[in-house]
Amino acid sequence: MTSTPDPVSGNSLDPENWDEFRDFAHGVLDDAMDYLANVRERPVWQPVPETVREALRAPMPRHGSGAAAAYAEYRRLIEPYPLGNIHPRFWGWVIGTGTPLGVLAEMLTATLNTNAAGHQQGATFVELQVVEWLRDLMGFPEGASGILANGGSIANQIALAVARNTMAPFDVRSHGLTGGPRLMVYASAETHNSVPRAVELLGMGSESFAAIPVEGDLTIDVAALRERIAVDRRLGHHPMCVVANAGTVNTGAVDPIDALADLCEEEGLWLHVDGAFGALAVLDPASRDLLKGMERADSLAFDLHKWMYLPYEVACTLIRDGKKHTATFEHHADYLAEIGGGIATGPVMFADYSPQLSRSFRALKVWLNIQAYGIDRFADAIARNVRQAAFLATLVGQEQSLELLAPVPLNIVNFRYRASNMEDGALNILNARILAALQERGIAVPSSTELNGKFALRVAITNHRSRREDFEALVEAVIALGREFSEVEQGG
Ligand SMILES: *Cc1c(COP(=O)(O)O)cnc(C)c1O
């Protein structure tokens, strides 16, 4: 007797044999732990070979090869060619390291696979708890609200949306921006481009972003800011917001937030703080004073995937007045209404706090990591990174052939190799070659920036794995490469 298959049932995407899949999964986890435990033995980075790129341009398979074969391809094509940021000698851009517990947290997140949109479920209460922890950590009052976002760029944008809707002299939600005065946002010329991008995306236009000159230490020139606000008022514009930097991306400069908070009070402006990484310096007793005034801000955005070392993606926006927060995002929908019982009994829908509806449960990795390590372990690592930056600056200062290019207020060091009798133009080319070689030889990964026309090797330390010898190795390598390349130049 043969049975015809039931077209209403059929194979799910679950394994046919759970025991086999379990063994396979254990093997994957073992490999992952080896990969992390042995990271120091591998090059920081290596280029992706053409054969690999080619293999990753294959047509979409109609029939699968099975989990084990797909995983083998991951091991061959993807795992050997990482960005490098889990390595102890990666200090490029501002990129966090991740934690081994974070790996498990991401696995558990996918296991629950919840939509953390809100409603009554454990995930909702975890996120509320995490936001409350972060609110207290940053010195924001009860009544402040917050939301986890996917990164600092979006966290800034969420805050600026609330600022815009609160501060516009007309109802942005119903009328839009048409016809109103130009709404002005001010920040230093060293501000991360996510801020002007947010201003554009919020429909205010790039001319609504005013880049204010900086002082010698690369913090905002408050007098120039005051002047620009007065000029804009005379022109009929509507000044609405100052964005203070708690750690600029180039050098880690921290604007005088307290003074900016005073100015905003006097002028009736919204104070937003972009603390993408620098806000976490509140955890370092030696750095905390730099951030004075941050707790007075109307809003604050910061990443947890940078200087809290948590896996991508997770950031946070805090809004001092929670009512203003929901007034920007709240929207009624019949299909989301409470029904007096069941899942939809609240206590919250996170769509009232950001543009996202369906969301990953990113609060879990935050909660698990803080539960497991305790916040003091993170504080130790952050304080150590600040000391490491000072240590590297000292090493640079001791070398005749190296030159520090900017102050080091936090965790970012900018320097360059300096050969006698070479002009800035030639030094820029030489240092770019040094940087490329550091990366291509898998030695270390700084990134670069330009400061006063000088190409800088830029070391941003948001890495809990780095040790003293890693910075010593960097300095040694830069000097050796500088000699190698300038000798070639002089010889040829
Ligand atoms: C990284 C960074 C951002 C953007 O954050 P993402 O998480 O990359 O979106 C904004 N501001 C500063 C100062 C940053 O360093």
Side-chain angles (χ1 to χ4, degrees), residues 94 150-154 156 192 194 245-249 274-277 303 305-306 312 315:
V94 188
N150 65 351
S153 302
I154 299 300
N156 276 330
H192 190 268
S194 60
N245 284 294
T248 59
V249 64
D274 178 4
F277 63 94
D303 276 310
H305 55 214
K306 287 180 176 174
Y312 284 90

Side-chain angles (χ1 to χ4, degrees), residues 1 35 53 124 168 178 193 227 251 257 261 338 390 402 439 482:
M1 221 174 63
Y35 188 72
R53 297 178 197 216
T124 299
T178 337
N193 71 5
E227 224 163 276
T251 68
I257 307 176
E338 296 200 10
L402 300 180
Q439 296 180 358

Side-chain angles (χ1 to χ4, degrees), residues 135-215:
R135 179 197 73 191
D136 293 349
L137 183 67
M138 296 300 168
F140 269 50
E142 247 176 80
S145 58
I147 184 82
L148 297 184
N150 65 351
S153 302
I154 299 300
N156 276 330
Q157 195 178 357
I158 290 169
L160 289 174
V162 179
R164 180 198 61 181
N165 290 10
T166 307
M167 302 305 287
F170 48 88
D171 183 350
V172 175
R173 285 194 63 172
S174 52
H175 297 298
L177 295 172
T178 337
R182 180 170 288 290
L183 305 173
M184 294 300 300
V185 175
Y186 306 90
S188 91
E190 289 291 304
T191 300
H192 190 268
N193 71 5
S194 60
V195 174
R197 278 210 303 163
V199 169
E200 285 178 30
L201 286 167
L202 290 168
M204 293 185 273
S206 59
E207 286 174 26
S208 285
F209 178 79
I212 307 300
V214 289
E215 309 268 10

Side-chain angles (χ1 to χ4, degrees), residues 103-156:
V103 175
L104 302 184
E106 293 291 56
M107 190 186 80
L108 296 174
T109 301
T111 304
L112 282 178
N113 188 38
T114 190
N115 180 352
H119 287 318
Q120 193 171 139
Q121 57 170 329
T124 299
F125 297 96
V126 171
E127 181 153 352
L128 291 172
Q129 167 78 95
V130 161
V131 166
E132 217 172 277
W133 284 346
L134 296 172
R135 179 197 73 191
D136 293 349
L137 183 67
M138 296 300 168
F140 269 50
E142 247 176 80
S145 58
I147 184 82
L148 297 184
N150 65 351
S153 302
I154 299 300
N156 276 330

Side-chain angles (χ1 to χ4, degrees), residues 186-188 191 220 242-247 255-257 260 271-275:
Y186 306 90
S188 91
T191 300
I220 193 167
V242 173
V243 178
N245 284 294
D255 289 331
I257 307 176
L260 293 176
L271 177 63
H272 172 66
V273 175
D274 178 4

